[in-house]
Amino acid sequence: MSELLTGLDERIGGIRELYEDLHRNPELSFQEVRTAEVLARRLREAGFEVTTGVGGTGVVGVLRNGDEPGVLLRADMDALPVREIEAVDYRSTATGTGPDGDETPVMHACGHDTHMAALIAAAEQLAERREHWSGTVLAVCQPAEEVGGGARAMLEDGFLERFPAFDVALGQHIASAPSEHLYVRPGTFMAAADSLRVTVHGRGGHGAQPQATVDPIVIASSIVLRLQTVVAREISPEEVAVVTVAAVHAGSKENVIPATAELKLNVRTFDPAVRETVLEAIGRIVRHEAAAAGAPREPDIEPINSFPLLVNDVDAARRIGAAFTERFGAEFVHEPPAKAGSEDFGAFGTAAGVPSVFWNFGGFDPAHYPDPAKPNAAVAAGLAPGNHSPEFVPTGLEPTLRRAAAAMVTAAGLWLA
Amino acid sequence: MSELLTGLDERIGGIRELYEDLHRNPELSFQEVRTAEVLARRLREAGFEVTTGVGGTGVVGVLRNGDEPGVLLRADMDALPVREIEAVDYRSTATGTGPDGDETPVMHACGHDTHMAALIAAAEQLAERREHWSGTVLAVCQPAEEVGGGARAMLEDGFLERFPAFDVALGQHIASAPSEHLYVRPGTFMAAADSLRVTVHGRGGHGAQPQATVDPIVIASSIVLRLQTVVAREISPEEVAVVTVAAVHAGSKENVIPATAELKLNVRTFDPAVRETVLEAIGRIVRHEAAAAGAPREPDIEPINSFPLLVNDVDAARRIGAAFTERFGAEFVHEPPAKAGSEDFGAFGTAAGVPSVFWNFGGFDPAHYPDPAKPNAAVAAGLAPGNHSPEFVPTGLEPTLRRAAAAMVTAAGLWLA
Amino acid sequence: MSELLTGLDERIGGIRELYEDLHRNPELSFQEVRTAEVLARRLREAGFEVTTGVGGTGVVGVLRNGDEPGVLLRADMDALPVREIEAVDYRSTATGTGPDGDETPVMHACGHDTHMAALIAAAEQLAERREHWSGTVLAVCQPAEEVGGGARAMLEDGFLERFPAFDVALGQHIASAPSEHLYVRPGTFMAAADSLRVTVHGRGGHGAQPQATVDPIVIASSIVLRLQTVVAREISPEEVAVVTVAAVHAGSKENVIPATAELKLNVRTFDPAVRETVLEAIGRIVRHEAAAAGAPREPDIEPINSFPLLVNDVDAARRIGAAFTERFGAEFVHEPPAKAGSEDFGAFGTAAGVPSVFWNFGGFDPAHYPDPAKPNAAVAAGLAPGNHSPEFVPTGLEPTLRRAAAAMVTAAGLWLA
Amino acid sequence: MSELLTGLDERIGGIRELYEDLHRNPELSFQEVRTAEVLARRLREAGFEVTTGVGGTGVVGVLRNGDEPGVLLRADMDALPVREIEAVDYRSTATGTGPDGDETPVMHACGHDTHMAALIAAAEQLAERREHWSGTVLAVCQPAEEVGGGARAMLEDGFLERFPAFDVALGQHIASAPSEHLYVRPGTFMAAADSLRVTVHGRGGHGAQPQATVDPIVIASSIVLRLQTVVAREISPEEVAVVTVAAVHAGSKENVIPATAELKLNVRTFDPAVRETVLEAIGRIVRHEAAAAGAPREPDIEPINSFPLLVNDVDAARRIGAAFTERFGAEFVHEPPAKAGSEDFGAFGTAAGVPSVFWNFGGFDPAHYPDPAKPNAAVAAGLAPGNHSPEFVPTGLEPTLRRAAAAMVTAAGLWLA
């Protein structure tokens, strides 16, 4: 295994340049055109057979070095509509077209640039050290993780048919945590998230003549209140679920009852059966609260997006945790609690029916984290920036990239070496 | 007309004795056995052809004095489960069997004893003065007005087939108002009232395991809140409706979720179309609020009782008002607003398809009523007792009975004389 | 009185030209600059002493012809953001700046142009026939009736101090009703309307971490549902009130709980005490529903606009109704029911403590109205256009203007002649 | 240690007789008079210094055998208002006075008789084998565990001052689980439970005149719905809490709005901070939902009962689990999940500031439990009776008592030997 890592550290200078270039040129979900070009070129130069335009802007590099086993390494490419603060000289001043069609500032505020840099570092290292392992490596650069559709788009674009089979899928994400620290959790790691748009159909009219209307605002309000019972009454106290109505919009003039009301819901669950129960209950409540008012037609319930539950294969995650501990020292490896956040990485392993493991790596000055095992406490206390914040710019950059690249090679080596 | 009234005042001494006897011996709804005997005997002695046991304890006396026209005069016989205060020496100490099977004190707290006494006075007077009119008089002593079933019971017992036809139905009710004052309203006079029992079916269980239950208390609470929208949103602001949930019962032990919840509803309306709208909306809301919770079966909605709208024939009521004014003086005759209270007298006229008129007469010391035209204001101000109160014992007894008897004869005379 | 009207009919040709000019050049509320100039010039030419810029764009013309009595005649000047259909050759193609700052088509879709034309006709007629009456006439051209602030703006600009006293205030409004018909109601004629903006303050946060937030959407929904109890429980069934939540807006992204929610409410009442009860209840419910959630601060409740109850002086309205009947014939004069619509004309009489009367005149082809006494039925049946519709262009124009001008002179003559 | 247990098994015949006597003569909470006498006599005969009447009917036996350490062994004495089925010849036919003053059948349906029998067996064994240990044993027979007040009553009766200090408190409870199996959980074992009675004060009145009332049923319903937000919005998704409204009672007659409504609430939590949050939120919601309706006074919120969180000292519980495993075999010792049920045993250790450990022992035929590690699954599947059921009569009686007595001596021996 240590043969695989030899020389990796020297590679980091160039990888840092790649990182800074990506950071300066962030692109929004499904708009990662320049990013894809840069990554495709690097993979080609390293000897990978590269396919672009997979699921929109996705890039897949394949390095065959013997048939088996296959290892999928994934990084996500998209940035966020956030205006970066002035903290580094490679700061982004880019803009992009937001979901409403407006121009918006764009920033890698979730650190996907570190994922890509580490993936390229690992891919180049594995390509150069190919005499020390055998098998097939798939380097997957996925679009649109932030809106939850990128992995699915690649899979729907024939990913499994078009590319070699793989025995494990590996991915990683930067966290607000100290540089060089790694966080691996066997089993359920991140929540399933389902976002829904509910459109309630009433009948509009004059505010002084409610009897001639079916008031959609009363229906929407009844739905919001009744949805509270899903978590409070329909889920076992030991199970975890969140049902949030995060937006409601209806009407404009103060004396005109509108014809419709729109709600946006967000659901988080950690168990497929609980997810089914919650979604079924939402549908039931929405329909019957509208019917209780005599609504002229059923509300529309449309998915906005959906993140699957992210479950790490227990054996594979334990092996990776043990390898990290052996390689980097126990003080740098932690088992975190499950997170309510969501991620679509798991779709690859699920689709292929193979194990997948996703872990976090820290990216910030350790001085901000009194207890490296509990980095969330530091974020909650305001000591360190959280993901999606305009201040989410890694401070311990080279150690971070070195460790992330080494972690990816180490984990891949468990299958390849 | 004045021939009809001649000698009526002298009759009042004996009528007062009848009144005191009835007041001392009140009987609850459908239990008016002794009361019916007393009234039947008086009517027979006056020359009426008497049938008892009509619709349970009802009494019908018929006096034929020429074929046409027919005039129905009605008094109701039942008392209330109220304990009388000690105000008069003919106070009731009677008891009866209440709806729950318990023994309860009984009192004529709604003054039906004055209705009966005035009816007998009028019947005896008309019998004695029969040379001054022609036609047929039906003296109807109805059971069970308080629970809303007496008129219907008599009608379902073949009233229309068994007794002579009538051209008008007349009835009167004592009010908390000054003695000798009369209150006649053309058109809608009293509300329709519908009482419903709603039984919500959930699924019971342990209070710490809500997910294994369907919580009927949450359903019942949702129903109560949503029912507020019936009046607030589904009825025109210009229409009148009341929807009251007057009782809710569910559960006993603090850690056991019950299987059912029971609601009692009361609905008041002044328009048949509004009544239909309200009852339809209640059914819709009750069903869908239960379904929204995934209830294992639909709630039961059962009528408890129902009072029809009481609508006075406009022409007949105006004629009666004019006759009262001519006879007793304009200062004693008023046109009151419609009342949210309810009464089943209207069922006779409705069933026969003939006009009916129902009016109020005052029964208390005028000193308590600063403005005789607005007696309700005195009740609201605590100056005078309201119906159903344990203090509802007429204070101006002889003038009250005299005026009520004379009003009945006067109104009947409009058709008979 | 007939002396006052002599020659009025001949004047209508010129008045029609004025009307068409005003109709072609409509202006939005508080933007009635050209309109005010036209009216001011006509009043000056007729011999009125004219003040402009009263309360913004308001115009006041005073004609002194003896000291007493004073009679205020009012017309409103503003038009609506409505695009007129192509029905007449004097159709408006004007645009104006809407409340959001956008350019919008403008149309006299509520017929204020007929009010102004009739007022000028009456003013000119009175000026010319001044030997037949004595007193002082105030011709008031009010801005911004549609948004409810024009009368108040004029009063706050010193109207009562700057202009002669008056003994009665008279105004009229075109209705969707047959030409030449007049509608006068003694007592309460139009509802008070109050519009409120409620801003609920919660605490925003991540949709998966509700415990760190105070969810303003749950608060807003609780407010909406609880507000239903105001009409259903807190107002007497015999009283009329409407509480409508006509708009609710909160949040945007489906996984972000917003910090605030905004509601727009509209309240209609016909009685000042009921209005007080309703507004007090709204404030109470809004505050406590927010406090129930532990909101970090009280909601803001701000008035958007407010229309006072419009109550016609009973005696004055009856005198006017009788004069109309005598002059125009009973078949052309009706007593309509109270309307849930609102109007700020009443502010002048209220401020001065003198009677005011406001009536409606019809303006459309009688063929559309099967029963002239119930023109609303024709509108409800789709036989005739309603106010604010793009089709609200008077079809019987000359008869309409003649009758409206004559009605104004006739009513004024009751005080002046 | 094995010296302590020598001869214990032979003692079980007599203990079984004690058990059958207690089973035949169950007594309700705080009425354990005969039970206390029986236990006090047995403890005295064994050489304990006995105090009765502690906290009502509580019994404390002290055996001093050297000063330190002190070990508290606790059994609870009360039975339940349950009618026993006919399954054994020592079946209870006893009756007692229930909380409503009615006579009710009584049964040891929660197996406290086994706790007492095992405690006496352990106490007698320790007394007889006193040369093999040193220290002080407190045998505590506690009243009224079922209603949650017994431990507190003993503590408030000066328990800590009147009796020797102790270094650990030990208790055990029979479970529906196979005989001879033991269940020990370090850390949080049973939920805190708080039951509350909420009395809402409105203003009663006639169902047709809601405006004269403050409808307590609307308030109660609003409270029930709003309480759903406590778990759904105010508690972290990772925390466990249950808020159940298990009873609501208001009103009787269908047309009378009652003056008050009563709710019974049950709250379960596993964390003191969560408990505080939930109770604070309940108080806030109850108060403000009443105030939103203009209630004439604040609702009353009274505790019905309260069970503290039962937390086993982690080290002590692990030591006991290890000792059980060594003594009885790993296949008989399990670590169960935390239970939502509640128990007041923890009050002794908490009050004294010393560790306490509470464990379960099985009491039924192993044939009913396919997986001894998951006995709840058998109960859920209907294979075995649950606590409080009329069938909860131990079937494997002698092995059960033997194992429970040996477990108590073994655990005590860890401190005493």
Side-chain angles (χ1 to χ4, degrees):
Chain A
M1 171 76 75
S2 65
E3 289 292 346
L4 284 189
L5 293 162
T6 303
L8 177 58
D9 285 1
E10 290 78 68
R11 192 179 301 284
I12 291 302
I15 289 300
R16 177 184 180 132
E17 278 169 37
L18 171 62
Y19 165 81
E20 293 189 3
D21 178 58
L22 294 170
H23 190 85
R24 262 198 197 95
N25 295 284
E27 293 171 305
L28 292 173
S29 304
F30 286 124
Q31 302 175 23
E32 309 91 338
V33 176
R34 181 188 182 280
T35 304
E37 278 173 19
V38 169
L39 300 179
R41 188 173 59 241
R42 291 289 288 241
L43 288 171
R44 264 191 213 105
E45 289 169 5
F48 281 69
E49 183 182 334
V50 173
T51 308
T52 57
V54 183
T57 50
V59 175
V60 181
V62 175
L63 182 64
R64 293 179 203 267
N65 185 32
D67 272 358
E68 291 198 333
V71 173
L72 184 156
L73 307 179
R74 176 267 208 176
D76 39 9
M77 301 192 292
D78 52 331
L80 286 161
V82 171
R83 183 188 307 274
E84 185 165 359
I85 58 156
E86 300 186 36
V88 292
D89 57 8
Y90 46 90
R91 170 179 173 246
S92 161
T93 56
T95 60
T97 305
D100 305 326
D102 298 338
E103 196 176 25
T104 171
V106 181
M107 173 194 175
H108 267 300
C110 199
H112 294 187
D113 44 6
T114 65
H115 310 168
M116 293 185 277
L119 176 67
I120 295 299
E124 292 176 352
Q125 176 75 4
L126 287 167
E128 197 172 300
R129 309 289 293 172
R130 76 186 72 175
E131 70 274 23
H132 298 284
W133 58 275
S134 71
T136 294
V137 170
L138 292 84
V140 174
C141 305
Q142 179 201 307
E145 186 277 332
E146 293 291 349
V147 298
R152 196 175 55 238
M154 294 188 80
L155 288 162
E156 289 178 353
D157 200 10
F159 184 90
L160 295 182
E161 296 75 32
R162 295 165 65 187
F163 302 106
F166 51 96
D167 298 281
V168 69
L170 303 176
Q172 57 183 349
H173 202 297
I174 190 169
S176 181
S179 277
E180 308 198 279
H181 287 254
L182 297 165
Y183 301 82
V184 193
R185 180 180 174 82
T188 299
F189 183 35
M190 299 182 75
D194 292 272
S195 295
L196 307 170
R197 177 182 292 108
V198 173
T199 306
V200 172
H201 301 283
R203 193 183 311 119
H206 194 288
Q209 299 174 333
Q211 79 282 5
T213 74
V214 174
D215 188 335
I217 292 179
V218 167
I219 298 174
S221 300
S222 299
I223 288 172
V224 171
L225 280 200
R226 200 65 183 274
L227 285 177
Q228 309 304 312
T229 65
V230 177
V231 170
R233 298 278 91 183
E234 301 206 27
I235 300 302
S236 162
E238 285 91 38
E239 299 286 359
V240 177
V242 184
V243 178
T244 288
V245 180
V248 54
H249 291 282
S252 57
K253 210 163 167 352
E254 70 278 1
N255 63 356
V256 178
I257 296 173
T260 63
E262 186 187 286
L263 302 169
K264 286 186 192 167
L265 275 65
N266 188 245
V267 174
R268 307 272 167 160
T269 52
F270 282 105
D271 178 278
V274 171
R275 178 176 174 273
E276 276 312 297
T277 300
V278 169
L279 293 178
E280 185 277 328
I282 289 172
R284 177 177 11 99
I285 287 170
V286 164
R287 280 196 314 278
H288 285 294
E289 291 297 333
R297 65 183 178 98
E298 280 208 349
D300 299 320
I301 306 180
E302 305 155 89
I304 298 175
N305 58 49
S306 175
F307 289 85
L309 191 66
L310 194 151
V311 182
N312 285 333
D313 182 78
V314 172
D315 286 342
R318 286 200 176 131
R319 285 177 65 202
I320 289 173
F324 286 174
T325 299
E326 191 188 330
R327 181 94 223 148
F328 308 119
E331 71 273 27
F332 289 106
V333 185
H334 313 278
E335 182 175 326
K339 309 174 110 175
S342 298
E343 161 69 59
D344 69 354
F345 161 73
F348 293 101
T350 302
V354 304
S356 61
V357 182
F358 193 73
W359 65 88
N360 288 167
F361 58 91
F364 294 82
D365 185 342
H368 300 314
Y369 303 88
D371 179 353
K374 296 182 175 169
N376 288 343
V379 177
L383 300 174
N387 295 50
H388 293 205
S389 145
E391 302 173 53
F392 195 77
V393 186
T395 46
L397 186 56
E398 289 205 9
T400 295
L401 294 175
R402 225 170 5 233
R403 181 56 45 93
M408 193 58 108
V409 173
T410 300
L414 288 174
W415 278 262
L416 297 171
Chain B
M1 170 75 76
S2 65
E3 289 292 345
L4 284 187
L5 293 163
T6 304
L8 177 59
D9 284 1
E10 290 79 67
R11 192 179 300 284
I12 290 305
I15 288 300
R16 177 185 179 129
E17 279 169 37
L18 170 63
Y19 165 81
E20 292 188 3
D21 178 57
L22 294 170
H23 190 84
R24 262 198 199 94
N25 296 285
E27 293 170 308
L28 292 173
S29 304
F30 286 124
Q31 302 175 23
E32 309 91 337
V33 177
R34 181 187 181 281
T35 303
E37 278 173 17
V38 170
L39 300 179
R41 189 173 60 243
R42 291 290 286 245
L43 288 170
R44 264 192 213 102
E45 288 169 6
F48 280 70
E49 183 181 334
V50 171
T51 308
T52 57
V54 182
T57 50
V59 176
V60 180
V62 174
L63 182 65
R64 294 179 203 267
N65 184 33
D67 272 356
E68 290 198 334
V71 173
L72 184 156
L73 308 178
R74 177 266 209 176
D76 39 9
M77 302 191 290
D78 51 333
L80 286 162
V82 171
R83 183 188 306 275
E84 186 165 357
I85 59 156
E86 300 188 36
V88 291
D89 59 8
Y90 47 90
R91 167 178 174 248
S92 161
T93 56
T95 60
T97 305
D100 305 326
D102 298 339
E103 197 177 23
T104 171
V106 181
M107 173 194 175
H108 267 301
C110 198
H112 295 187
D113 42 6
T114 65
H115 310 168
M116 294 184 277
L119 176 68
I120 295 299
E124 292 176 353
Q125 175 76 4
L126 287 168
E128 199 173 298
R129 310 289 292 172
R130 77 186 74 176
E131 70 273 21
H132 299 285
W133 58 275
S134 72
T136 295
V137 170
L138 291 84
V140 173
C141 306
Q142 178 201 304
E145 185 276 332
E146 293 291 350
V147 298
R152 196 174 58 236
M154 294 186 81
L155 288 163
E156 289 176 353
D157 201 11
F159 184 90
L160 294 182
E161 297 75 33
R162 294 166 65 186
F163 303 105
F166 51 96
D167 299 280
V168 70
L170 304 175
Q172 57 183 349
H173 202 298
I174 190 169
S176 180
S179 276
E180 307 196 280
H181 286 255
L182 297 166
Y183 300 82
V184 194
R185 178 180 176 81
T188 298
F189 185 34
M190 299 182 74
D194 291 272
S195 294
L196 306 169
R197 176 181 292 107
V198 173
T199 307
V200 172
H201 301 283
R203 193 183 310 119
H206 195 287
Q209 299 173 333
Q211 78 281 7
T213 73
V214 175
D215 187 336
I217 292 178
V218 167
I219 298 174
S221 300
S222 299
I223 289 173
V224 171
L225 280 201
R226 201 64 183 275
L227 284 177
Q228 309 304 313
T229 65
V230 177
V231 169
R233 300 278 88 185
E234 302 205 26
I235 300 302
S236 162
E238 285 90 40
E239 298 287 358
V240 178
V242 184
V243 177
T244 288
V245 180
V248 52
H249 291 282
S252 55
K253 210 161 169 352
E254 70 278 0
N255 63 356
V256 179
I257 296 173
T260 62
E262 185 186 286
L263 302 169
K264 286 187 192 167
L265 275 64
N266 188 246
V267 174
R268 307 270 168 162
T269 51
F270 283 104
D271 178 277
V274 171
R275 178 176 175 271
E276 276 312 297
T277 299
V278 170
L279 293 178
E280 185 277 329
I282 290 172
R284 174 174 17 95
I285 287 171
V286 164
R287 280 196 313 278
H288 285 294
E289 291 298 333
R297 66 182 178 99
E298 278 206 353
D300 300 320
I301 305 179
E302 305 156 89
I304 298 175
N305 60 49
S306 176
F307 289 86
L309 191 65
L310 194 151
V311 182
N312 285 333
D313 182 79
V314 172
D315 285 344
R318 286 202 175 130
R319 286 178 63 203
I320 289 173
F324 287 174
T325 297
E326 191 188 330
R327 181 93 224 149
F328 310 119
E331 71 272 29
F332 288 106
V333 185
H334 312 277
E335 182 175 324
K339 309 173 109 174
S342 298
E343 161 69 59
D344 70 354
F345 162 73
F348 292 101
T350 301
V354 304
S356 61
V357 183
F358 193 74
W359 64 88
N360 287 166
F361 58 92
F364 294 82
D365 186 341
H368 299 314
Y369 303 89
D371 179 354
K374 296 183 177 170
N376 288 343
V379 178
L383 301 173
N387 295 50
H388 293 206
S389 145
E391 302 172 54
F392 195 79
V393 186
T395 45
L397 188 55
E398 288 205 9
T400 294
L401 294 175
R402 223 167 10 228
R403 179 57 44 94
M408 193 58 109
V409 173
T410 301
L414 288 174
W415 279 261
L416 298 171
Chain C
M1 171 75 77
S2 65
E3 289 291 347
L4 284 187
L5 293 162
T6 303
L8 177 58
D9 284 2
E10 290 79 68
R11 191 180 301 285
I12 290 303
I15 289 301
R16 178 186 177 129
E17 277 170 38
L18 171 62
Y19 165 82
E20 292 188 4
D21 178 58
L22 294 170
H23 190 83
R24 262 198 200 94
N25 295 286
E27 293 171 306
L28 292 173
S29 304
F30 285 125
Q31 303 175 23
E32 309 92 338
V33 177
R34 180 187 182 281
T35 305
E37 277 173 19
V38 169
L39 300 179
R41 187 174 60 240
R42 292 289 287 243
L43 288 170
R44 262 193 214 103
E45 288 170 5
F48 281 69
E49 182 181 335
V50 172
T51 308
T52 57
V54 183
T57 49
V59 175
V60 180
V62 176
L63 182 65
R64 295 179 202 267
N65 185 33
D67 271 358
E68 290 199 333
V71 173
L72 183 154
L73 307 180
R74 176 265 208 177
D76 39 9
M77 302 191 291
D78 51 334
L80 286 162
V82 171
R83 182 189 307 275
E84 185 165 358
I85 58 157
E86 299 185 38
V88 292
D89 58 7
Y90 46 91
R91 169 176 173 247
S92 161
T93 56
T95 59
T97 304
D100 304 326
D102 298 338
E103 195 176 25
T104 171
V106 182
M107 173 195 173
H108 266 301
C110 199
H112 295 188
D113 42 7
T114 64
H115 310 169
M116 294 184 277
L119 176 67
I120 294 300
E124 292 176 354
Q125 176 76 3
L126 287 167
E128 197 173 298
R129 309 291 292 173
R130 77 185 70 177
E131 71 273 22
H132 298 285
W133 58 274
S134 70
T136 294
V137 170
L138 292 85
V140 173
C141 305
Q142 179 201 305
E145 185 277 332
E146 293 292 348
V147 298
R152 196 174 56 239
M154 294 188 80
L155 288 162
E156 289 177 354
D157 200 12
F159 184 90
L160 295 182
E161 297 76 33
R162 294 166 65 186
F163 302 106
F166 52 96
D167 299 280
V168 70
L170 303 176
Q172 58 184 349
H173 202 297
I174 190 170
S176 181
S179 277
E180 307 196 279
H181 287 255
L182 297 165
Y183 300 82
V184 193
R185 179 180 174 82
T188 298
F189 184 34
M190 298 182 76
D194 292 272
S195 294
L196 306 170
R197 176 181 290 108
V198 173
T199 307
V200 171
H201 301 282
R203 192 182 312 118
H206 195 287
Q209 299 174 333
Q211 79 282 3
T213 73
V214 175
D215 187 337
I217 292 179
V218 167
I219 298 174
S221 300
S222 299
I223 289 172
V224 171
L225 280 200
R226 201 66 183 274
L227 285 177
Q228 309 304 312
T229 65
V230 177
V231 169
R233 299 278 91 184
E234 302 206 26
I235 300 303
S236 163
E238 285 91 40
E239 299 286 359
V240 176
V242 183
V243 178
T244 288
V245 180
V248 53
H249 291 283
S252 57
K253 210 162 167 353
E254 71 277 0
N255 64 356
V256 178
I257 296 173
T260 62
E262 186 186 284
L263 302 169
K264 286 187 192 167
L265 274 65
N266 187 245
V267 174
R268 306 270 167 162
T269 52
F270 283 103
D271 179 276
V274 171
R275 179 176 174 271
E276 275 314 297
T277 300
V278 169
L279 293 178
E280 185 277 327
I282 289 172
R284 175 175 15 95
I285 286 170
V286 164
R287 280 197 313 278
H288 285 294
E289 291 298 332
R297 67 182 177 98
E298 279 208 351
D300 300 320
I301 305 179
E302 304 155 90
I304 298 175
N305 59 49
S306 176
F307 288 85
L309 190 64
L310 193 150
V311 183
N312 285 332
D313 183 78
V314 172
D315 285 343
R318 287 200 176 133
R319 284 178 65 203
I320 289 173
F324 286 173
T325 299
E326 191 187 333
R327 181 96 224 145
F328 309 119
E331 70 273 28
F332 289 106
V333 184
H334 312 277
E335 181 174 325
K339 309 173 113 176
S342 298
E343 161 67 60
D344 70 353
F345 161 73
F348 292 100
T350 301
V354 304
S356 61
V357 182
F358 192 74
W359 64 88
N360 287 166
F361 58 92
F364 294 81
D365 185 342
H368 299 314
Y369 302 89
D371 180 353
K374 296 184 177 168
N376 288 342
V379 177
L383 301 174
N387 296 49
H388 293 206
S389 145
E391 301 173 55
F392 196 78
V393 185
T395 45
L397 187 56
E398 288 204 10
T400 295
L401 293 175
R402 227 171 2 233
R403 181 55 45 90
M408 193 58 110
V409 173
T410 301
L414 288 174
W415 279 262
L416 297 171
Chain D
M1 169 76 78
S2 66
E3 288 291 346
L4 283 187
L5 291 162
T6 303
L8 177 58
D9 284 1
E10 290 78 67
R11 191 179 302 284
I12 290 305
I15 289 301
R16 178 186 178 130
E17 278 170 37
L18 170 63
Y19 164 82
E20 292 188 2
D21 178 57
L22 294 170
H23 190 85
R24 262 199 198 93
N25 296 285
E27 293 171 308
L28 292 173
S29 304
F30 285 125
Q31 304 176 23
E32 309 90 338
V33 177
R34 181 187 182 280
T35 304
E37 278 174 19
V38 170
L39 300 178
R41 187 172 62 242
R42 291 290 288 245
L43 288 170
R44 264 191 214 102
E45 288 170 5
F48 281 70
E49 184 182 334
V50 172
T51 309
T52 57
V54 182
T57 50
V59 175
V60 180
V62 175
L63 182 64
R64 295 178 201 267
N65 185 33
D67 271 358
E68 291 199 333
V71 173
L72 182 155
L73 307 179
R74 177 267 208 175
D76 39 8
M77 301 191 291
D78 52 333
L80 286 161
V82 171
R83 183 188 307 275
E84 186 166 358
I85 59 157
E86 299 186 39
V88 292
D89 59 6
Y90 47 89
R91 168 176 175 249
S92 161
T93 56
T95 60
T97 305
D100 305 326
D102 298 338
E103 196 176 23
T104 171
V106 182
M107 174 195 174
H108 267 300
C110 199
H112 295 187
D113 43 5
T114 65
H115 311 169
M116 294 184 277
L119 176 68
I120 295 300
E124 292 177 352
Q125 176 75 4
L126 287 167
E128 196 172 300
R129 308 290 293 171
R130 77 185 73 176
E131 70 274 22
H132 298 285
W133 58 274
S134 70
T136 295
V137 170
L138 291 85
V140 173
C141 306
Q142 178 202 305
E145 185 278 331
E146 293 292 349
V147 297
R152 196 174 57 235
M154 294 186 80
L155 288 162
E156 289 177 353
D157 200 10
F159 184 89
L160 294 182
E161 298 74 32
R162 293 164 65 185
F163 302 105
F166 51 96
D167 298 280
V168 70
L170 303 175
Q172 58 183 348
H173 202 297
I174 190 170
S176 180
S179 279
E180 306 197 280
H181 286 255
L182 297 165
Y183 301 81
V184 193
R185 179 180 173 82
T188 299
F189 185 34
M190 299 181 75
D194 292 271
S195 294
L196 307 169
R197 176 181 291 107
V198 172
T199 306
V200 172
H201 301 283
R203 193 182 311 118
H206 196 287
Q209 299 173 332
Q211 78 281 7
T213 73
V214 175
D215 187 335
I217 292 179
V218 167
I219 298 174
S221 299
S222 299
I223 288 172
V224 171
L225 279 201
R226 201 65 182 273
L227 285 177
Q228 308 304 312
T229 66
V230 177
V231 169
R233 299 277 89 185
E234 302 205 26
I235 299 302
S236 163
E238 285 91 40
E239 298 286 358
V240 177
V242 184
V243 178
T244 288
V245 180
V248 53
H249 291 282
S252 56
K253 212 163 165 355
E254 70 278 1
N255 62 356
V256 180
I257 296 173
T260 62
E262 185 186 285
L263 302 169
K264 286 188 192 166
L265 274 65
N266 188 246
V267 174
R268 307 270 168 161
T269 52
F270 282 104
D271 178 278
V274 171
R275 178 177 175 270
E276 276 313 296
T277 299
V278 170
L279 293 178
E280 185 277 328
I282 290 172
R284 174 174 18 95
I285 287 170
V286 164
R287 280 197 314 277
H288 285 294
E289 291 297 333
R297 66 182 178 98
E298 278 207 352
D300 301 320
I301 305 179
E302 305 155 88
I304 298 174
N305 59 50
S306 176
F307 290 86
L309 191 64
L310 193 150
V311 183
N312 284 333
D313 182 80
V314 171
D315 285 344
R318 287 200 175 131
R319 284 178 64 203
I320 289 173
F324 286 174
T325 298
E326 190 188 332
R327 180 94 223 145
F328 309 118
E331 71 273 29
F332 289 105
V333 185
H334 313 277
E335 182 174 325
K339 310 173 110 173
S342 298
E343 161 67 60
D344 70 354
F345 161 74
F348 292 101
T350 301
V354 304
S356 61
V357 183
F358 193 73
W359 65 87
N360 288 167
F361 58 92
F364 293 82
D365 186 342
H368 300 313
Y369 303 88
D371 180 353
K374 297 183 175 169
N376 288 344
V379 177
L383 301 173
N387 295 50
H388 292 206
S389 145
E391 300 173 54
F392 195 77
V393 186
T395 46
L397 188 56
E398 288 206 9
T400 294
L401 294 176
R402 224 170 4 233
R403 179 55 45 91
M408 193 58 109
V409 173
T410 300
L414 288 173
W415 279 262
L416 298 170

